[in-house]
Amino acid sequence: MDAGPVEILISAILVIGGFFALVGSWGLARMPSLMTRLHGPTKVTTLGVGSCLIASMIYFPAMQGTYSAHELLITLFLFLTAPITANMIAKAHLHRQGRAIDPNPMDDIAEGLPETGVGTGWATFEGQAADRADPPR
């Protein structure tokens, strides 16, 4: 049996998704600091898993004649939660770097945070002096 154009399209999308998953995993393992390692998993979630879900969204209606909204809902959930999760991890890392409690400070963030450009400081570090004066018990 010959592979139809839909099967070739689905296969290509799966290979592209697998490539992004491989590159993202490699980036997670090889990047030197948390802020650079953070890019790998977010790209894998967005491009790698998204491609696999898109291939699934094409496969079931084209090959089996059934449609399910599960893949669409999973894709929507991943595209909404991956950036939020990455932002929260980055904010926690900035917080630890700014308070000099990070055991592996490879980013040198504590030595010079960039300006915010809005006339106020980083929200993570508001009240930092007050916290150091009165440490938690």
Side-chain angles (χ1 to χ4, degrees):
M1 237 186 340
D2 290 332
V6 174
E7 292 170 336
I8 293 172
L9 175 68
I10 292 168
S11 299
I13 293 172
L14 285 172
V15 168
I16 290 169
F19 172 75
F20 280 114
L22 178 68
V23 169
S25 300
W26 181 75
L28 178 64
R30 297 292 297 166
M31 293 292 177
S33 66
L34 186 129
M35 293 299 265
T36 56
R37 279 193 305 263
L38 191 57
H39 292 288
T42 57
K43 301 310 178 246
V44 167
T45 302
T46 306
L47 299 170
V49 176
S51 295
C52 293
L53 288 166
I54 289 170
S56 179
M57 283 189 255
I58 295 170
Y59 173 79
F60 283 106
M63 300 302 210
Q64 296 186 352
T66 60
Y67 175 77
S68 174
H70 293 115
E71 291 93 353
L72 183 62
L73 292 173
I74 292 169
T75 304
L76 181 66
F77 178 73
L78 286 174
F79 285 0
L80 289 175
T81 57
I84 293 169
T85 304
N87 187 25
M88 296 303 256
I89 292 170
K91 291 282 280 185
H93 179 68
L94 283 172
H95 181 75
R96 291 175 57 90
Q97 288 278 317
R99 294 180 187 267
I101 57 173
D102 195 348
N104 188 16
M106 296 183 73
D107 293 332
D108 297 327
I109 293 173
E111 295 176 9
L113 285 171
E115 295 297 323
T116 61
V118 294
T120 60
W122 291 86
T124 304
F125 302 112
E126 297 296 323
Q128 181 176 358
D131 288 347
R132 285 189 178 166
D134 186 27
R137 297 178 193 144

